[in-house]
């Protein structure tokens, strides 16, 4: 901050405190730049985004009092890498150093808060923060979450862990915002985690009803105001620089009326806050691509107001968000506290509940989650390879390039108009293309990491015996730091097969016809793997069944189709399917599930599952519509089918129940399906408590929204629990009132459950959905939507969600006592997220020689206690000194302008999965020695504790302490590198601890 700015700041502060009650206005120039939504990233870069940074850099350099905040890093990084000249880069470095260009949030995108997973939120922040810190030595300290559709309680926790001093949100329920404005409650200290409480609290500012866009209405003119550069033009910027809807200029004739308009809005806002500091956002979507015309109009307007400040009762100044929050912090007020409640769902009007996007574009949500899981596995493999094979044949720069491409793609899709499914079809296709291409690159990397270090035996140079059986090799990798026993499903094209481990021992297996194809078979086999461990398996395809004695050939029993009437089945003809945990009863009169008995506590719960439809209105003249964002319906759901058939495949590894639902009884093909897999194998370590279900839904009729309805005898009183971004569970009490059906839908990222005094029914998901409990004992999950409407804006930009895809999400279901599910569901959700990676390393071929068992170890095993999760183990590649002062000196000397990647620094994150008091044992703090935990990978020499995204040394991180009524004191727990105790850490409930790890140089 320059001396002149400090003089203005303290002069205004003096006048306020001196009793003149001048309102100090912080005018914050910004441009909301969606990484997607209507236009692709490439289209936006060409049409306006590149020009924003080019023109802002030029204009800020002309006047010391000008400011700008930059939010989404993807556009800035693209500009920096592909557009910016050396002169512009030098200017930016100077502006950043002087605090006139401020990076806010600092992540790759402004992430959604409802349907994103915390692992992906952390990833996209880490990618952006790493770039900013390496390039400029800056660490964002404030958020600007102005456009996500509701606010999660997990987000402020993550920002606090990253070192932020204040948080900003905007979209919350309209009626709640009205009340908060009236009572001056828009600012508070948020304790987003009920376990961490004040340890990770953060001051939170809620934007008023005008949100992040400048009001454009001018009472003295038919033209708009404050948007002097007009509206961005696609696909090409106008050659003459004249854009549509350029606002009325500020002149000698208009400046007085402009000033009165601006001051009136400032005073209106000031009445909603406790201090005389007003945050006045100047900008909106796609603004400041011509920063010259913007500042050249605002400069004289602000000068006029300040010259007449006593008459207006207002002063104005350009400011960054940090300067605004600094003023609020110095006000030294005592602030209200908010607990771990979130602001979901979000409605901007009584019949505008933004709960539809929880289920929009289900395919994209699934692809994004699978890509994230693959990235997690590949990161851990690369760390293991780098330490174990320092001189190995996989090129480090190529490997890091593949990982960075997938990091970029997974980060990009977390945008609040990305994974939400609220974008146009061409943008959805862009996300899918970027994810798919990056996934292919990482799959190639994973194959190289598996194969090249091992030098596997091959049959090259040997003649092949035509009578030899075909065989194929598969590698299975456990990406979790727990020992697991799992059932692998590998698709083959042969009806018989046997599986052998790498020591030549037969593996329990089962083969059967696939549910979705007449030409393939599902081969199930059981694997036992240590943490971060891989094993190779040999699959031999037998002829005539010889040599396949260890593989059970499962056969199917088909039950005839049953027409479903309005009245349920009598339950007099029940068919049991039982394993070690459950007895499932299916009604022969309906082919539907009838009930589940938990064999441990012998309690039977009536359970029925089937598909229902909401029929949406698409005509705006007829009333509220459903669209990409909004779920709106006049009527209750209706049954989506007339008939059901069932097929049961009984096996020794698992029993599979296939239920197919026909929209019309006479239809030749089913519209919906549920495939339930009941584990039967009783070997060591394999749990039987999870029932895996995969659904097939679509293509849908137009204006149809389909839900899976699970109806039970549980007395839950319509109380539902759902997860916040996979981090914590939230209690959702049914809210009565207008539009109660849509406003009682909530996001389910990983988990949802209902319960009564005795039992809990849990659903765990492999992607985000919308979920609700509309009646007692009922849990419904929205799986798919296909919509069209005639709203002109939606039609103009193709935002009608005419999604004709077939979706096949997977969920795991558990039914048990509350104590049993409390011990299980957190870990089970992680296991569903990070299932074993299965990779075929060759195609079926005849063996040219007799294979000998390799007999080698399956690789290092890294095992954490059951309540700790290895959240991250990666080599980020960012190259900067851990010492902040040293890093800044390198930047200012120009030494780090072209840094080579750092392949020796490992980023480690560990998360405690449990809440305080959730379980008598698993909720306890856990003390571990990380040197011991990681010893099977290599010898740990140095460990530094860092902030969540790695840019702060935790010992130097001193966040602002905001005053609250209870004046809670926080305790700073940190790990320092000195002696053996330097490697021992205690992790408390819901903590996420982040470390830099350096292994012994002998490993490299």
């Amino acid at each position: 901050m320059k001396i002149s700015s400090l003089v203005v700041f303290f002069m205004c502060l003096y006048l306020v405190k001196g009793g003149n009650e001048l309102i100090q206005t912080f005018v914050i120039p910004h441009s909301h730049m969606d990484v997607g939504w209507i236009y692709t990233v490439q289209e936006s870069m060409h049409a306006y985004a590149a020009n924003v940074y080019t023109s802002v850099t030029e204009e800020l350099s002309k006047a010391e009092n000008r400011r700008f905040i930059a939010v989404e890093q993807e556009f800035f990084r693209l500009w920096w890498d592909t557009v910016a000249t050396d002169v512009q880069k030098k200017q930016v470095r100077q502006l950043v150093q002087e605090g006139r260009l401020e990076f806010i949030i600092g992540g790759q995108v402004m992430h959604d808060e409802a349907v994103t997973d915390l692992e992906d939120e952390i990833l996209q922040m880490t990618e952006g923060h790493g770039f900013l810190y390496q390039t400029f030595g800056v660490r964002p300290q404030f958020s600007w979450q102005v456009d996500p559709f509701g606010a999660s309680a997990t987000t402020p926790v993550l920002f606090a862990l990253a070192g932020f001093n204040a948080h900003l949100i905007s979209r919350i329920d309209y009626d709640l915002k009205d009340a908060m404005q009236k009572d001056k409650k828009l600012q508070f200290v948020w304790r987003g985690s009920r376990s961490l409480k004040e340890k990770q609290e953060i001051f939170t500012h809620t934007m008023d009803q005008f949100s992040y866009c400048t009001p454009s209405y001018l009472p003295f003119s038919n033209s708009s105001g404050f948007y002097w550069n007009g509206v961005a033009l696609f696909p090409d910027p106008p050659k003459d620089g004249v854009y549509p809807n350029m606002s009325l200029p500020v002149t000698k004739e208009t400046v007085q009326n402009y000033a009165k308009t601006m001051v009136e809005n400032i005073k209106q806002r000031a009445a909603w806050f406790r201090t005389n500091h007003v945050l006045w956002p100047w900008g909106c979507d796609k603004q400041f691509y011509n920063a010259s015309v913007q500042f050249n109009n605002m400069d004289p307007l602000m000068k006029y107001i300040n010259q007449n400040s006593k008459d207006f009762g207002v002063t104005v100044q350009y400011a960054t968000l940090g300067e605004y929050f600094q003023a609020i912090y110095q006000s030294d007020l005592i602030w209200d506290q908010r607990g771990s409640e979130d602001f979901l769902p979000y409605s901007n009007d009584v019949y505008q509940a933004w709960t539809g996007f929880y289920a929009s574009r289900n395919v994209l949500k699934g692809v994004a989650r699978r890509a994230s899981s693959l990235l997690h596995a590949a990161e851990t493999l690369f760390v293991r390879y780098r330490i174990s094979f320092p001189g190995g044949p996989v090129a480090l720069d190529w490997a890091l390039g593949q990982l960075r491409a997938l990091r970029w793609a997974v980060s990009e899709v977390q945008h609040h108009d990305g994974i939400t499914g609220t974008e146009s079809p061409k943008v959805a296709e862009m996300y899918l293309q970027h994810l798919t291409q990056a996934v292919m690159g990482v799959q190639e990397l994973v194959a190289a990491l598996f194969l090249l270090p091992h030098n596997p035996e091959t049959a090259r140079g040997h003649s092949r015996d035509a009578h030899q059986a075909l065989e194929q090799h598969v590698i299975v990798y456990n990406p979790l730091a727990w020992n697991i026993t799992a059932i692998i499903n590998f698709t083959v094209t042969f009806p018989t097969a046997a599986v052998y481990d790498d020591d030549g021992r037969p593996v329990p297996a089962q083969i059967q016809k696939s549910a979705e194809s007449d030409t393939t078979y599902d081969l199930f086999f059981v694997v036992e793997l240590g943490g971060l461990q891989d094993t190779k398996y040999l699959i031999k395809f037998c002829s005539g069944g010889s040599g396949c004695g260890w593989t059970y050939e499962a056969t199917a029993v088909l039950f005839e189709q049953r027409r479903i009437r309005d009245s349920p089945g009598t339950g007099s003809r029940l068919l049991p399917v039982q394993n070690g945990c459950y007895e499932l009863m299916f009604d022969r009169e309906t082919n539907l599930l009838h009930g589940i008995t938990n064999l441990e506590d012998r309690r039977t719960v009536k359970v029925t599952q089937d598909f229902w439809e909401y029929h949406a209105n698409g005509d705006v003249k007829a009333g509220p519509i459903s669209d990409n964002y909004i779920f709106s319906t006049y009527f209750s759901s209706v049954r989506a089918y007339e008939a059901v058939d069932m097929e049961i495949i009984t096996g020794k590894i698992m029993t599979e129940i296939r239920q197919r639902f026909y929209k019309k009884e006479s239809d030749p093909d089913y519209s919906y399906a549920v495939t339930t897999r009941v584990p039967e194998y009783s070997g060591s370590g394999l749990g039987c408590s999870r029932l895996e279900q995969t659904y097939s839904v679509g293509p849908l009729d137009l204006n149809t929204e389909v839900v899976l309805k699970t109806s039970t005898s549980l007395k839950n009183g319509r109380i539902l629990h759902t997860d916040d971004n996979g981090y914590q569970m939230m209690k959702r009490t049914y809210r009565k009132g207008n539009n109660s059906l849509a406003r009682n839908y909530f996001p389910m990222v990983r988990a949802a459950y209902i319960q009564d005094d005795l039992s809990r029914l849990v659903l765990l998901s492999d992607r985000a959905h919308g979920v609700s409990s509309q009646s007692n004992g009922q849990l419904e999950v929205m799986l798919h939507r296909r919509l069209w409407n005639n709203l002109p804006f939606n039609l103009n930009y193709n935002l009608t969600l005419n999604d004709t895809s077939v979706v096949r999400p997977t969920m795991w279901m558990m039914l048990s006592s509350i104590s049993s599910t409390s011990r299980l569901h957190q870990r089970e959700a992680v296991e569903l997220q990070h299932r074993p990676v299965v990779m075929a390393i060759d195609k079926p071929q005849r063996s040219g020689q007799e294979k000998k068992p390799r007999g080698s170890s399956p690789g290092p095993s890294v095992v954490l206690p059951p309540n700790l999760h290895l959240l991250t183990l990666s080599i980020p590649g960012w190259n900067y000194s851990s010492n902040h002062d040293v890093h800044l000196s390198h930047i200012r000397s120009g030494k780090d302008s072209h840094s080579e990647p750092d392949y020796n620094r490992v980023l480690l994150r560990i998360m405690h999965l449990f809440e305080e008091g959730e379980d008598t044992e698993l909720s306890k703090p856990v003390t571990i020695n990380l040197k011991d935990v990681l010893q099977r990978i290599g010898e740990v020499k140095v460990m530094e504790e860092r902030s969540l995204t790695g840019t702060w040394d935790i010992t130097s991180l001193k966040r602002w302490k905001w005053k609250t009524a209870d004046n809670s004191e926080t305790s700073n727990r940190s790990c320092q590198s000195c002696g053996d105790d330097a490697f021992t850490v205690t992790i408390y409930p819901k903590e996420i601890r982040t470390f830099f790890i350096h292994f012994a140089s002998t490993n490299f």
Side-chain angles (χ1 to χ4, degrees), residues 562-569 587 589-593 608-615 633 635-645 660-665 667 671-672 697 700-701 704-711 780:
R562 297 292 187 181
R563 179 177 175 82
I564 305 300
R565 296 171 176 80
D566 292 334
S567 59
D587 192 333
E589 294 180 359
T590 62
N591 286 331
L592 297 177
L593 181 63
T608 299
Q609 285 186 311
D610 56 357
F611 295 95
W612 293 66
E613 294 177 345
Y614 290 101
H615 295 155
T633 182
F635 308 106
S636 299
S637 57
V638 297
R639 187 177 281 112
Y641 60 97
E642 287 186 354
V644 184
D645 70 23
R660 293 175 284 261
F661 296 74
Y662 296 82
K663 202 166 184 63
K664 298 293 183 183
E665 187 178 12
D667 286 351
S671 297
Y672 315 104
V697 181
L700 304 182
D701 294 337
T704 299
E705 298 165 277
V706 172
V707 299
L708 173 77
K709 189 176 291 189
T710 304
S711 303
E780 70 176 48

Side-chain angles (χ1 to χ4, degrees), residues 54 177 198 217 460 564 589 621 716 731 917 983 999:
T54 298
K177 179 174 281 194
E198 72 279 356
Y217 173 68
R460 273 181 247 153
I564 305 300
E589 294 180 359
K621 295 180 180 179
N716 73 312
K731 183 178 180 179
F983 303 107
F999 288 87

Side-chain angles (χ1 to χ4, degrees), residues 366-668:
V367 170
R369 187 75 68 87
R370 288 194 297 274
S372 172
S373 299
L374 175 65
L375 176 62
H376 173 89
E379 298 275 20
T380 60
L381 276 168
F382 184 51
V383 170
R384 201 183 74 175
Y385 175 85
R386 170 65 179 146
I387 307 304
S388 302
F389 303 95
V394 177
L396 298 182
D397 57 346
W398 173 77
L400 184 60
Q402 304 308 310
L403 292 171
R404 282 180 163 172
L406 189 51
R407 291 173 193 168
W408 185 289
V410 172
S411 297
E412 176 185 74
V413 78
Q414 307 310 315
H415 181 260
H416 58 272
D417 275 305
I419 199 167
T420 52
T422 52
E423 65 278 357
S424 67
K426 67 179 177 182
V427 173
E429 185 59 35
M430 176 201 74
Y431 291 131
L432 287 169
Q433 182 181 5
H434 291 177
L435 287 165
T436 302
Q437 289 177 344
V439 161
M440 291 173 63
V442 168
Q443 286 174 333
E444 187 179 351
L445 169 63
V446 169
L449 296 176
F450 278 149
L451 293 176
L452 293 181
H454 297 309
N455 294 318
E457 296 174 321
T458 66
R460 273 181 247 153
H462 295 271
S463 60
R464 302 183 185 275
D465 186 347
H467 299 290
Q468 278 277 23
L470 293 173
E471 58 183 43
Q472 187 173 16
H473 295 86
V474 174
I475 290 180
V476 181
Y477 174 62
N478 171 23
L480 297 171
W482 300 318
N483 296 330
I484 65 165
T485 302
I487 298 175
I488 301 301
N489 180 11
F490 187 70
T491 302
V492 298
T493 56
F494 300 91
T496 55
V499 183
Y500 300 87
D501 67 16
D502 212 24
D503 292 321
R505 294 171 299 198
V507 175
Q510 171 180 322
I511 195 166
Q512 62 196 43
K513 287 187 176 180
S514 300
E516 299 295 337
S517 171
D518 293 332
T519 60
T520 60
Y521 298 83
D522 292 331
L523 176 62
F524 299 101
F525 59 97
V526 179
V527 300
E528 296 183 25
L529 290 169
L532 305 188
Q533 197 173 70
D534 69 272
T535 298
K536 187 170 68 173
Y537 293 88
L538 170 65
I539 301 174
K540 286 190 175 182
F541 300 103
C542 319
S543 57
S546 60
C548 289
W550 280 85
T551 300
Y552 182 80
E553 295 182 23
T555 56
V557 176
L558 180 63
F559 296 85
E560 64 179 334
Q561 187 184 85
R562 297 292 187 181
R563 179 177 175 82
I564 305 300
R565 296 171 176 80
D566 292 334
S567 59
T570 63
S572 59
R573 299 176 61 208
L574 298 180
L575 180 68
V577 175
Q578 184 172 317
N579 70 355
C581 293
Y582 301 114
E583 182 178 64
L584 285 70
M585 305 299 293
F586 291 88
D587 192 333
R588 292 285 304 278
E589 294 180 359
T590 62
N591 286 331
L592 297 177
L593 181 63
H594 180 80
I596 300 176
T597 299
N598 183 284
L599 299 180
E600 181 181 4
D601 57 24
R602 304 305 304 177
R603 188 185 182 203
T604 299
V605 177
K606 289 185 177 180
V607 182
T608 299
Q609 285 186 311
D610 56 357
F611 295 95
W612 293 66
E613 294 177 345
Y614 290 101
H615 295 155
N617 170 46
D619 183 2
V620 294
K621 295 180 180 179
I625 60 169
S626 274
D627 64 11
N628 299 37
Y629 304 88
I630 293 167
F631 172 42
S632 179
T633 182
Y634 296 109
F635 308 106
S636 299
S637 57
V638 297
R639 187 177 281 112
Y641 60 97
E642 287 186 354
V644 184
D645 70 23
M646 180 171 64
E647 187 177 11
I648 297 181
I649 301 95
T650 304
K652 292 185 177 180
I653 302 297
M654 67 168 54
T655 291
E656 189 170 276
I657 302 99
R658 302 171 181 173
Q659 297 164 287
R660 293 175 284 261
F661 296 74
Y662 296 82
K663 202 166 184 63
K664 298 293 183 183
E665 187 178 12
S666 58
D667 286 351

Side-chain angles (χ1 to χ4, degrees), residues 39-83:
Y39 301 103
T40 66
V41 168
Q42 294 78 6
E43 288 175 322
S44 293
M45 279 294 291
H46 176 70
Y48 82 94
N51 289 336
V52 170
Y53 293 113
T54 298
S55 65
V56 164
T57 299
E58 180 180 353
E59 292 305 312
L60 292 189
S61 300
K62 291 179 180 179
E64 291 185 356
N65 67 319
R66 291 175 176 176
R67 302 285 189 273
F68 193 80
I69 62 170
V71 184
E72 295 87 358
Q73 282 306 298
E74 178 158 332
F75 283 129
F76 180 81
R77 289 178 67 179
L78 288 171
W79 176 79
W80 184 263
D81 290 339
T82 64
V83 178

